[in-house]
Amino acid sequence: AVTDPRERWTYGQFAERIARTAAWLRALPGVQPGDRIGIAMENCAGYLQVQYACWHAGLCVVPMNAKLHPREFCYILENSQARACIASPSLHAGIAREAGPGAPFALHEAHAPLLEKMTPEDQADVVRAAKVFYKLYADIFRALPTAREVTCN
């Protein structure tokens, strides 16, 4: 079902990982169904795991290009009113430095031990989808990117 150079998961394994990660996301302080969660990760199986887990937990995904500057990540996270950001280890430090201690979002490092440490008991039930389930930032030719929302009825 999901493969990258480091990992290969069956559909069952992928579904289990999604449910466990969704439970972890819902346990984050202040995160409620419908909230926005930024994803600052390189292309990998873990990115899909976090993205699908957000939807499983009823959260809105704010995907961000891994090649952005930390200042651009912070702008998108603040402008989208993201409650949290899940960042690859290679991006985490730069975003944390740029955001500073008073950032309006919680920053979490996505690394294999974190995403794998949950037990089967930690699996979350599917939550009704957020009205806005995807918030995309584009228009690279403008000084600041603008947002487009994808909704479901």
Side-chain angles (χ1 to χ4, degrees), residues 1-4 7-15 18 45 48 52:
V2 177
T3 61
D4 76 11
E7 305 183 75
R8 180 183 206 99
W9 305 326
T10 65
Y11 285 109
Q13 291 169 325
F14 187 43
I18 290 167
L48 288 176
Y52 278 82

Side-chain angles (χ1 to χ4, degrees), residues 72-143:
E72 294 167 309
F73 285 121
C74 290
Y75 168 79
I76 290 171
L77 291 164
E78 290 175 21
N79 184 266
S80 70
Q81 299 176 336
R83 283 267 192 225
C85 175
I86 312 304
S88 295
S90 62
L91 302 173
H92 184 272
I95 297 170
R97 200 170 26 258
E98 184 68 31
F105 54 87
L107 183 60
H108 303 276
E109 186 175 340
H111 51 81
L114 169 74
L115 299 178
E116 294 171 359
K117 73 178 181 181
M118 293 151 256
T119 65
E121 297 79 39
D122 293 328
Q123 293 187 28
D125 294 326
V126 177
V127 171
R128 181 167 156 64
K131 182 178 178 192
V132 176
F133 68 95
Y134 218 59
K135 188 162 186 148
L136 300 168
Y137 279 78
D139 299 335
I140 60 173
F141 296 108
R142 295 180 183 211

Side-chain angles (χ1 to χ4, degrees), residues 26 32-35 54-60 125-133 152-153:
R26 274 198 248 154
Q32 301 293 319
D35 284 346
C54 285
W55 291 332
H56 187 94
L59 301 168
C60 174
D125 294 326
V126 177
V127 171
R128 181 167 156 64
K131 182 178 178 192
V132 176
F133 68 95
C152 64
N153 296 331

